[in-house]
Amino acid sequence: MKFDKKDILGMKDLSVEEINLILETAESFLEISTREIKKVPTLRGKTIINLFYEASTRTRTSFEIAGKRLSADTINISASTSSVVKGETLIDTARNLEAMHPDIIVIRHSAAGAPHLLASLVKQSIINAGDGAHEHPTQALLDMMTIKEKKGRLKGLKIAIVGDIAHSRVARSNIYGLTKMGAEVLLAGPATMLPRDIDQMGVKVFNKIEDAIDGADVVMMLRIQLEREKQNIFPSLREYAQRYCLNRKNIALAKKDVIVMHPGPLNRGVEISPDIADDPSYSVILDQVNNGVAVRMALLYLLGGGHE
Amino acid sequence: MKFDKKDILGMKDLSVEEINLILETAESFLEISTREIKKVPTLRGKTIINLFYEASTRTRTSFEIAGKRLSADTINISASTSSVVKGETLIDTARNLEAMHPDIIVIRHSAAGAPHLLASLVKQSIINAGDGAHEHPTQALLDMMTIKEKKGRLKGLKIAIVGDIAHSRVARSNIYGLTKMGAEVLLAGPATMLPRDIDQMGVKVFNKIEDAIDGADVVMMLRIQLEREKQNIFPSLREYAQRYCLNRKNIALAKKDVIVMHPGPLNRGVEISPDIADDPSYSVILDQVNNGVAVRMALLYLLGGGHE
Amino acid sequence: MKFDKKDILGMKDLSVEEINLILETAESFLEISTREIKKVPTLRGKTIINLFYEASTRTRTSFEIAGKRLSADTINISASTSSVVKGETLIDTARNLEAMHPDIIVIRHSAAGAPHLLASLVKQSIINAGDGAHEHPTQALLDMMTIKEKKGRLKGLKIAIVGDIAHSRVARSNIYGLTKMGAEVLLAGPATMLPRDIDQMGVKVFNKIEDAIDGADVVMMLRIQLEREKQNIFPSLREYAQRYCLNRKNIALAKKDVIVMHPGPLNRGVEISPDIADDPSYSVILDQVNNGVAVRMALLYLLGGGHE
């Protein structure tokens, strides 16, 4: 199968076949990062721009490492040091970058839809590295790769996602992706953190964490944005932790071989207890990070038209 | 002809022969950025430092891409993340960088003359990427390259530059360069934005935009610094736009095949109306950006002593 | 001799043999930075992360240039643009970076012991690029390389270190290193800037600069942190300069062929008079910077297991 998408904007747009191709390509790239010489000439002479309007260590670093291991030239632009301070619109920035002939632009932006706007304006490939509370497809793909790696499949698995669903691009992308691949997705969170009509996305919705993780193969905990406490979306961090923190007690409701995931960075003691986060018999959090580099290599490769 | 300048500090210092050599070299580099593998080994093992004391997306990115496409190692230093916060003087920074054996230092600084000071202190080649309201020679060179590309020549052309001439390093460098190459330069702007004695630079000066663009082959609009509104240099943005915005009506005064230029970022609706900025029959703004990478590759090549 | 340390955390941990091996390796790398093509393929395909939680021009740039001249892929992460703003702990950051398979992590952090914590958590090699007021081993190594270069040896030399000893990681690392190599170390500074029990480190301690530099082969001046003035650690900068500034008068007390060192950035007129700092018959400050790149190349080479 040939991959013929120009952009990776969201899990909503990807077909089952495309997702399978990306995951298989990523699996084949996993080995490069364990070599003595972690570099292949695949994308030599290609230019990749990481255009980050929001601070990020892990996603930007993951993309930069992925690009460099494929021998691409990588250019970082962050909002704080860019001419964004001069008030340039995203449209003008996009057209300007286009005129410098990059091959791929990776964008993170606080506004939902920014990557889609960019993709409609420029002929280069765009990868969405997170847009507002909308989508974060590379996170969902690395999550799916990790689940497949541990469980051998996605289809038929019972996967709980717990936390602030409404404000989470990670949740949204995973819901699109996992339901498409045939998994059963169960959500839990306070009513203020559950989007209306969310049940129309083909998921089951609960208020209690216990109901969602009961019998789960996978539990995915979302990061609480600590600044939301002030917005009265939930009463207090302490109360949130009492009701929704994944801990030794409630994890016992899940399947015995349940795996625990988190997109990071972790608020230990808020959404996840430290002993669960650091217990290798449950936690696959670092496998997610490892697979993240491979998924991004796969996407850069598939979009960059590389060949060894 | 051999290029034997150590530095590129301003258009004032460049001879007609040197300008022609730079433009011809840039034209020959243009094609590299359209290749499948956009990279030549010309400057392999050379170190280029981008030392930016002012925020910039396009200029820094353009230099970084130019360096990487020539296979140089590029190092970015921006004021906000540098030991400038420790109060180190430019002189000490320069001497320190020199001791690390870079080949070329590209500098942008808010103080006019900073690149010249640097050039007098260190043995490496210095490229001025903009110093205060003084010069921005790489912008003028890419502008001249774009005019030559579209009009076939510079000599004898009627070129209008409109806006805040007094505070514009782009205007100053273009005035030096274009008059040297035999073009006729006409300026327009409010009296508070025209430097005294500017007519001694061999240009014609007008207050009305209409007088400057009448019969022009090229109209170059300058960016208004929005923060100047508070300084009472002009009454209001609205009044400025009413008098100096390039639009469908006044552009009709220029030659039929007039081209419109802007160094970016654009204030749409202030100095240029959106329909002119985005009309491909007038606007060559993105050609400027494209040529910018080629001009910077040419300068890095000529100063870096590269050879394929 | 084979170098078998995993990390470079401080001079306290290095043996005389290890220090000699590092210095000899650095001397052999010095020549690369003077070549026409300043690059060797030694660390091709290795990933080096520069993780800087404090602003730095020279140290970060020195490490980045060192890595690139060895053909490694270098990734910069600075606190201001990183997910540190999301409150991620150093531990989680470390584990995440580890999962991306870098080979070496260079860390600067305001907390003493941060590099040691990192080294105990991850399997990659850690280089301490400065931790709080604790250690700055690469600075001490480049200082020792410079002294050896100028004096032919370290053993038996009389070396004065003057300034804010208590808050200086440079002083601490040099005291460990120089005493270990058989030099005689003499300290001078105001009582508030001398750590208690410092004489137990095998050094002589004075309050007057004159007593320390009397007959010295080497005088190393420390940078005064200007912000300390407000903390009442010394009465005023002016008084500090009157008592502790190295100048034409007090330098005459040292040996005729004394060399003057400073880790930079300089406060000219505070801890060192400009005429001494810029006098090539005394100052070896820029040799320190030059040797800094070579020392860092040596460490990256020794830890990265490179071979040409």
Side-chain angles (χ1 to χ4, degrees):
Chain A
M1 180 196 167
K2 220 180 139 283
F3 191 80
D4 56 8
K5 276 226 151 32
K6 171 180 160 285
D7 311 292
I8 301 292
L9 300 177
M11 296 309 296
K12 194 177 182 181
D13 317 316
L14 291 173
S15 69
V16 171
E17 292 71 29
E18 287 166 336
I19 293 171
N20 278 327
L21 177 61
I22 294 166
L23 297 184
E24 281 156 25
T25 308
E27 283 153 20
S28 76
F29 276 126
L30 209 45
E31 169 267 338
I32 294 171
S33 291
T34 66
R35 290 185 194 171
E36 183 73 16
I37 294 179
K38 293 180 271 285
K39 207 174 177 84
V40 291
T42 316
L43 294 185
R44 201 174 65 81
K46 304 287 184 186
T47 305
I48 298 169
I49 293 180
N50 292 318
L51 179 62
F52 274 66
Y53 288 86
E54 287 186 342
S56 161
T57 297
R58 80 186 59 201
T59 306
R60 196 267 297 168
T61 303
S62 183
F63 269 110
E64 187 176 351
I65 288 179
K68 286 183 161 148
R69 292 203 176 139
L70 294 170
S71 298
D73 290 325
T74 58
I75 310 274
N76 293 321
I77 302 177
S78 67
S80 56
T81 61
S82 86
S83 84
V84 182
V85 302
K86 291 192 191 165
E88 191 179 24
T89 65
L90 177 61
I91 294 175
D92 279 331
T93 300
R95 289 194 176 134
N96 267 279
L97 293 179
E98 179 181 34
M100 297 184 197
H101 298 283
D103 295 274
I104 298 173
I105 300 174
V106 177
I107 181 173
R108 167 166 289 192
H109 200 287
S110 59
H116 308 70
L117 177 64
L118 204 61
S120 71
L121 290 169
V122 305
K123 61 179 179 292
Q124 282 85 9
S125 290
I126 306 299
I127 299 179
N128 180 358
D131 63 324
H134 182 220
E135 280 238 33
H136 191 354
T138 62
Q139 178 71 41
L141 287 163
L142 71 88
D143 289 339
M144 292 159 82
M145 179 178 175
T146 307
I147 297 170
K148 221 182 122 201
E149 184 182 71
K150 302 298 174 189
K151 297 291 175 193
R153 65 193 165 107
L154 293 166
K155 198 173 172 125
L157 291 182
K158 212 171 155 182
I159 301 176
I161 306 180
V162 181
D164 187 356
I165 311 289
H167 301 94
S168 172
R169 54 196 178 204
V170 176
R172 196 170 311 266
S173 285
N174 266 301
I175 292 168
Y176 283 129
L178 291 169
T179 55
K180 202 172 286 188
M181 301 305 282
E184 183 187 359
V185 177
L186 306 99
L187 309 179
T192 51
M193 291 180 166
L194 292 170
R196 285 207 297 164
D197 306 328
I198 183 76
D199 49 345
Q200 295 178 11
M201 287 183 80
V203 296
K204 288 185 188 149
V205 187
F206 303 92
N207 273 116
K208 291 194 172 165
I209 182 173
E210 290 79 5
D211 293 336
I213 66 180
D214 188 20
D217 298 283
V218 177
V219 178
M220 189 181 291
M221 299 307 296
L222 300 176
R223 173 182 171 76
I224 280 294
Q225 305 293 321
L226 300 182
E227 56 275 25
R228 299 233 186 276
E229 189 172 8
K230 296 172 204 136
Q231 300 165 10
N232 294 318
I233 287 175
F234 55 90
S236 73
L237 273 185
R238 197 174 156 183
E239 188 171 327
Y240 181 85
Q242 277 175 342
R243 293 188 55 201
Y244 294 102
C245 185
L246 188 70
N247 54 38
R248 287 256 165 244
K249 200 177 155 202
N250 53 28
I251 193 81
L253 295 168
K255 285 227 179 81
K256 270 213 165 152
D257 61 348
V258 65
I259 58 171
V260 173
M261 310 180 79
H262 192 294
L266 280 71
N267 297 310
R268 288 157 190 272
V270 180
E271 71 262 5
I272 190 165
S273 73
D275 57 341
I276 299 292
D278 301 330
D279 185 336
S281 66
Y282 291 123
S283 172
V284 298
I285 295 173
L286 298 179
D287 300 276
Q288 292 173 268
V289 179
N290 180 31
N291 289 334
V293 174
V295 155
R296 284 155 188 140
M297 288 175 79
L299 293 173
L300 296 174
Y301 168 81
L302 291 169
L303 296 178
H307 39 81
E308 287 204 44
Chain B
M1 181 195 166
K2 217 181 140 285
F3 191 81
D4 56 8
K5 277 225 153 28
K6 171 181 160 285
D7 311 294
I8 301 292
L9 301 176
M11 297 308 297
K12 195 178 183 181
D13 316 317
L14 291 174
S15 70
V16 171
E17 292 71 31
E18 286 167 335
I19 293 172
N20 277 326
L21 177 60
I22 294 167
L23 297 184
E24 282 156 25
T25 308
E27 284 153 18
S28 76
F29 276 126
L30 210 44
E31 169 266 337
I32 293 171
S33 291
T34 66
R35 291 185 193 171
E36 183 71 17
I37 293 179
K38 292 180 273 285
K39 206 176 179 82
V40 291
T42 315
L43 295 186
R44 201 172 66 80
K46 304 286 183 187
T47 305
I48 298 169
I49 293 180
N50 293 317
L51 179 61
F52 274 66
Y53 288 88
E54 287 185 342
S56 162
T57 297
R58 83 186 58 202
T59 306
R60 196 267 297 168
T61 304
S62 183
F63 269 110
E64 188 176 350
I65 288 179
K68 286 184 162 147
R69 291 201 177 142
L70 294 170
S71 299
D73 289 324
T74 58
I75 310 272
N76 294 320
I77 303 177
S78 67
S80 57
T81 61
S82 84
S83 85
V84 182
V85 303
K86 290 192 193 167
E88 191 178 23
T89 67
L90 177 61
I91 295 175
D92 278 332
T93 300
R95 288 195 176 132
N96 268 280
L97 293 179
E98 179 181 31
M100 296 183 198
H101 298 283
D103 294 274
I104 298 174
I105 300 174
V106 177
I107 180 173
R108 166 166 289 192
H109 201 285
S110 59
H116 307 71
L117 178 64
L118 203 61
S120 71
L121 289 170
V122 304
K123 60 178 180 295
Q124 282 86 9
S125 290
I126 305 299
I127 299 179
N128 180 359
D131 62 324
H134 181 221
E135 281 237 34
H136 191 354
T138 62
Q139 178 71 41
L141 287 163
L142 72 88
D143 288 339
M144 293 160 81
M145 180 177 174
T146 307
I147 298 170
K148 222 182 122 202
E149 184 181 72
K150 301 298 173 189
K151 297 292 175 192
R153 64 192 166 107
L154 293 167
K155 198 172 174 125
L157 291 182
K158 215 172 153 181
I159 301 175
I161 307 180
V162 181
D164 187 356
I165 310 291
H167 301 93
S168 172
R169 53 195 178 205
V170 176
R172 196 172 308 267
S173 284
N174 266 301
I175 292 169
Y176 282 129
L178 292 169
T179 55
K180 202 171 285 185
M181 301 305 283
E184 184 186 358
V185 177
L186 305 99
L187 310 178
T192 50
M193 290 180 167
L194 293 169
R196 286 207 296 164
D197 307 328
I198 182 78
D199 49 345
Q200 294 178 12
M201 286 182 81
V203 296
K204 289 186 187 147
V205 186
F206 302 94
N207 272 118
K208 291 193 172 167
I209 183 174
E210 291 79 5
D211 295 336
I213 66 179
D214 188 19
D217 298 285
V218 177
V219 178
M220 189 181 292
M221 300 306 295
L222 300 176
R223 173 183 170 76
I224 281 293
Q225 305 293 322
L226 300 182
E227 55 276 22
R228 299 233 185 275
E229 190 172 7
K230 296 174 203 132
Q231 302 166 11
N232 294 318
I233 286 176
F234 56 90
S236 73
L237 272 185
R238 199 176 155 181
E239 186 171 327
Y240 181 86
Q242 277 174 343
R243 294 189 56 200
Y244 293 101
C245 185
L246 188 71
N247 55 38
R248 286 257 166 243
K249 201 177 153 201
N250 54 26
I251 193 83
L253 295 167
K255 286 227 180 81
K256 272 211 164 152
D257 62 348
V258 65
I259 58 170
V260 172
M261 310 180 78
H262 191 294
L266 280 73
N267 297 309
R268 288 155 190 275
V270 181
E271 71 263 5
I272 190 165
S273 73
D275 57 342
I276 299 293
D278 300 330
D279 185 336
S281 66
Y282 292 122
S283 172
V284 298
I285 294 173
L286 296 178
D287 301 276
Q288 293 173 269
V289 179
N290 180 30
N291 290 333
V293 175
V295 155
R296 284 156 188 139
M297 288 174 79
L299 293 174
L300 295 175
Y301 168 80
L302 291 169
L303 295 179
H307 40 79
E308 286 203 43
Chain C
M1 181 195 165
K2 218 181 141 285
F3 191 81
D4 56 8
K5 277 226 153 28
K6 171 180 161 283
D7 311 292
I8 301 292
L9 300 177
M11 297 308 296
K12 194 177 182 181
D13 316 317
L14 290 173
S15 69
V16 172
E17 292 70 32
E18 286 167 336
I19 293 172
N20 278 326
L21 177 61
I22 294 167
L23 297 183
E24 281 156 25
T25 308
E27 284 153 17
S28 76
F29 276 126
L30 210 44
E31 169 266 338
I32 293 171
S33 291
T34 66
R35 291 186 194 170
E36 184 71 17
I37 293 179
K38 292 181 272 286
K39 206 173 177 85
V40 290
T42 315
L43 294 186
R44 201 173 65 79
K46 303 287 183 185
T47 305
I48 298 169
I49 293 181
N50 292 318
L51 179 62
F52 275 66
Y53 288 87
E54 287 186 341
S56 161
T57 297
R58 82 186 57 201
T59 306
R60 196 267 296 166
T61 303
S62 183
F63 269 110
E64 188 176 350
I65 287 179
K68 285 183 163 148
R69 292 202 176 140
L70 294 170
S71 298
D73 289 325
T74 58
I75 310 274
N76 293 321
I77 302 176
S78 66
S80 57
T81 60
S82 84
S83 84
V84 182
V85 303
K86 290 193 194 166
E88 192 179 23
T89 67
L90 177 62
I91 294 175
D92 278 331
T93 300
R95 288 196 177 132
N96 268 279
L97 294 179
E98 180 181 33
M100 297 183 198
H101 298 283
D103 295 275
I104 299 173
I105 300 174
V106 177
I107 180 172
R108 167 167 289 193
H109 200 287
S110 59
H116 308 68
L117 178 63
L118 204 60
S120 71
L121 290 169
V122 305
K123 62 178 178 293
Q124 282 86 9
S125 290
I126 306 299
I127 299 180
N128 179 359
D131 63 323
H134 181 221
E135 281 237 33
H136 191 354
T138 63
Q139 178 70 41
L141 287 163
L142 71 89
D143 288 339
M144 292 161 83
M145 179 178 175
T146 306
I147 297 171
K148 222 182 122 201
E149 183 181 72
K150 302 298 173 187
K151 298 292 176 192
R153 65 196 165 105
L154 293 166
K155 198 172 173 124
L157 292 182
K158 213 172 153 180
I159 300 175
I161 306 179
V162 181
D164 187 356
I165 311 290
H167 302 93
S168 173
R169 54 196 178 203
V170 175
R172 196 171 310 267
S173 284
N174 266 301
I175 292 169
Y176 283 128
L178 291 169
T179 54
K180 203 172 285 189
M181 301 304 282
E184 183 186 359
V185 178
L186 307 98
L187 308 178
T192 50
M193 291 180 166
L194 292 170
R196 285 207 297 166
D197 307 327
I198 182 76
D199 49 345
Q200 295 178 12
M201 286 182 80
V203 296
K204 289 184 188 152
V205 187
F206 303 93
N207 273 115
K208 292 193 171 165
I209 182 174
E210 291 80 5
D211 294 337
I213 67 180
D214 189 20
D217 296 284
V218 177
V219 178
M220 190 181 292
M221 300 305 297
L222 300 177
R223 173 183 170 76
I224 280 294
Q225 306 292 323
L226 300 182
E227 56 275 23
R228 298 232 186 276
E229 190 173 7
K230 295 172 205 138
Q231 302 165 10
N232 294 317
I233 286 175
F234 54 90
S236 72
L237 271 186
R238 198 174 155 183
E239 186 170 329
Y240 181 85
Q242 277 175 344
R243 293 187 57 198
Y244 294 101
C245 185
L246 188 70
N247 55 36
R248 285 259 165 241
K249 200 177 154 202
N250 54 27
I251 193 84
L253 296 167
K255 286 228 179 80
K256 272 210 165 152
D257 61 349
V258 66
I259 58 171
V260 173
M261 311 182 77
H262 191 295
L266 279 72
N267 296 309
R268 288 156 190 273
V270 180
E271 71 262 5
I272 190 165
S273 72
D275 57 341
I276 299 294
D278 300 330
D279 185 337
S281 65
Y282 292 123
S283 173
V284 298
I285 294 172
L286 297 179
D287 300 276
Q288 292 173 270
V289 179
N290 179 31
N291 289 335
V293 175
V295 155
R296 285 157 187 138
M297 288 173 78
L299 293 174
L300 295 174
Y301 168 81
L302 290 169
L303 295 178
H307 40 79
E308 287 201 45

